Amino acid sequence: MTNPETPSSTNEFMKGLWRENPVFVQVLGMCPVLAVSNTAMNALAMGLATAFVLLMSNLLVSLLRDFIPRQVRIASYILIIATFVTLTDYAIEAISLDLHKALGAFISLIVANCLILGRAEAFASKNGVGNAALDALGMGAGFTLALFCLGAVRELLGAGSLFGFAVLPGGFEPWIVMILPSGGFFTLAFWLIAIRIFERRRERRQTAEALQ
Amino acid sequence: MNEQPIWSIFVNAALVNNFVLAYFLGICPFLGVSQKVATAARMGGAVMFVMLVSSVCAFGIHHVLLAIGTPFLELIAFITVIASTVQLVEMIIRKFSPALFRALGIFLPLITTNCAILGLALFQTNREYDFVQCLAYALGAGVGFTLALVLMAGIREKLTLAPVPDVVEGTASALLVAGILSLTFMGFAGLGAQ
Amino acid sequence: MTASIDAWPMYRALVGIGVGCGLLIALVYVGTLPHIERQRAAALEQAVFAVLPGSASRRTFVFDAAGTLVADTGSDGSRVHAGYDAAGRLLGVAIEAEGMGYADTIEILYGYVPADERIVGLRVLASKETPGLGDKIETDERYRANFEALDVRLDAAGEALVNPIAVVKPGTKSNAWEIDGITGATISAQAVGNTVAASAARWLPAVRRNREALAAGGQHDES
């Protein structure tokens, strides 16, 4: 067990990836998670875009933490986040029109992702630039990983392909429901259940070891 | 220019493309405030109200920004103006109607960061709705949100009495219910077709 | 806390951040705009060439609500893209239309050749129809063939279609102005057909009225 009193830099990074994973553990930012995870590619792009916005706004919030008075902090954070979201929106459109069309308004909706405002308020506004960046990288990576897990499963079962390449044999009848909205709810629910079963097993093993 | 008839916009926003069940907007309150039917209904009312207000705001902002040639400020303007309008409305309600404030008030701050509100503003702008179409869209979205929330709360009230395996309890079971609801709502598809 | 809170830091923070963010956005917008416009133009050109086989260049015209040709100034009005062959002669026009489908709005682009009075091609630009069922409007070869020679003759006055476009039951198409539906995607097929029908009834007379202006567009577009 790592001691929470002395946060090491790897700890700042790793906590977002697994122990405090924003999607699987904290259940934050559900709207993009469910909406654009119908293919692995969309999910990965959305995850990276969110991670970028998270990193940049965490950096800026941490830099400006002495400049922003408490009373107007939320408004300032929202302004900063909205700026980086707009930048990301234009960047994605410049890189690939098709991707921009597939993600649609959900790029703009990164603004309303409670994960980003949550990290700015709970972590970046109280920590130095280095730690804030590590925290953002960890959370961003965790978010991207979770989105990718969902997107890969949905595309594999729903279309029999991965990143657009057919991977399942031709005889496979795609489960169309997985690409539809309800498939998003089901896939996330199954991931949550799988993770909980895994955690239960580990806890049981640990207590068994402790008893011996 | 968009010539979609008003009824079609309303039916689409409320049932076919339900904000929660098809677009996944406003999932946080959907999972968070859906334990009791009475609370869910009030939350739905508050959301519908805020949606109408912010729809009008967004319509105004879009046209002002177009007029002064700065469409790239749209997102930043939407979120700040909507957030401040909701707070303003909250203060006004608190001052003039304490009863209404008690009914809606506690939900208003929660709603400001609800992505359904921002989503509504973005979608109505993308689709180039005129003023009346915007109102129909906002009303439809609000009705759809309330419907989804109340149905969900009804199911979850029953679910608390049911023996659920403990690994499925909590968010997972709520998501499974939402998935089934979403499938059910697919039955409405085609209602608004031309 | 006393009543007089020092407001200066708040103003400073909000205004400072607001101005800084605004400038940053404007900078990136200006920086990426040419690139985005170029990509959009390329995507549009590809779609126009696909629905108007044989075209080599294109030019966009804007109609106002009454169907009169206006200068291309901004987002107001409906856009029509004229396609020209290599010699600069008007081949046909590609018209954008959208309508409500089974799941969400369907955006389409169809090519109309005024000389033959036919629709010669159709492309779905955006749709969220059910994969495997409703998306047959994009994948079903037989359905797509409906739009490769769809009869849209105008009456003598040039104000209305002689035979309104109609979507019929799958396999029962007997006239050149009818569209064969799709089994298992009845509503999506119907929606696309009706969208084309409504758009054609409205815009084809306007195209006919402005044929000279549209044809002239190909001559001085050699740059």
Side-chain angles (χ1 to χ4, degrees), chain A residues 59-198:
Chain A
L59 275 180
L60 210 61
V61 165
S62 171
L63 266 177
L64 296 174
R65 66 186 188 279
D66 296 325
F67 175 71
I68 300 172
R70 268 193 61 78
Q71 297 90 333
V72 293
R73 67 186 193 287
I74 300 289
S76 314
Y77 300 161
I78 288 180
L79 270 175
I80 292 172
I81 296 169
T83 306
F84 286 112
V85 171
T86 313
L87 299 191
T88 316
D89 193 19
Y90 285 124
I92 291 181
E93 194 168 7
I95 295 167
S96 162
L97 270 186
D98 287 334
L99 187 61
H100 188 260
K101 212 161 119 185
L103 299 181
F106 288 98
I107 305 173
S108 303
L109 282 171
I110 296 176
V111 159
N113 189 331
C114 15
L115 167 67
I116 300 179
L117 192 61
R119 287 333 282 174
E121 163 78 0
F123 196 91
S125 60
K126 300 186 183 93
N127 286 279
V129 178
N131 273 346
L134 278 173
D135 175 72
L137 281 175
M139 287 290 166
F143 189 76
T144 311
L145 177 77
L147 257 169
F148 178 72
C149 286
L150 256 88
V153 169
R154 286 180 72 185
E155 189 181 347
L156 197 64
L157 295 179
S161 61
L162 206 56
F163 289 110
F165 298 108
V167 283
L168 290 181
F172 174 76
E173 184 66 34
W175 308 2
I176 288 165
V177 66
M178 297 308 273
I179 327 183
L180 298 177
S182 45
F185 287 115
F186 290 137
T187 317
L188 183 59
F190 290 135
W191 270 110
L192 289 180
I193 294 169
I195 286 172
R196 198 176 295 181
I197 292 175
F198 176 78

Side-chain angles (χ1 to χ4, degrees), chain A residues 29-38 42 45-47 49-50 53 85 88-89 92 99-113 116 143 181, chain B residues 18-20 22-27 75 115-116 118-119 122-123 126, chain C residues 104 128:
Chain A
M30 283 299 98
C31 145
V33 169
L34 295 165
V36 293
S37 61
N38 48 1
N42 287 356
M46 188 65 189
T50 311
V53 174
V85 171
T88 316
D89 193 19
I92 291 181
L99 187 61
H100 188 260
K101 212 161 119 185
L103 299 181
F106 288 98
I107 305 173
S108 303
L109 282 171
I110 296 176
V111 159
N113 189 331
I116 300 179
F143 189 76
Chain B
N18 187 285
F19 263 48
V20 183
Y23 286 162
F24 306 108
L25 299 171
I27 293 283
L75 182 64
C115 42
L118 186 66
L122 291 168
F123 287 142
N126 275 353
Chain C
D104 211 331
K128 291 210 183 77

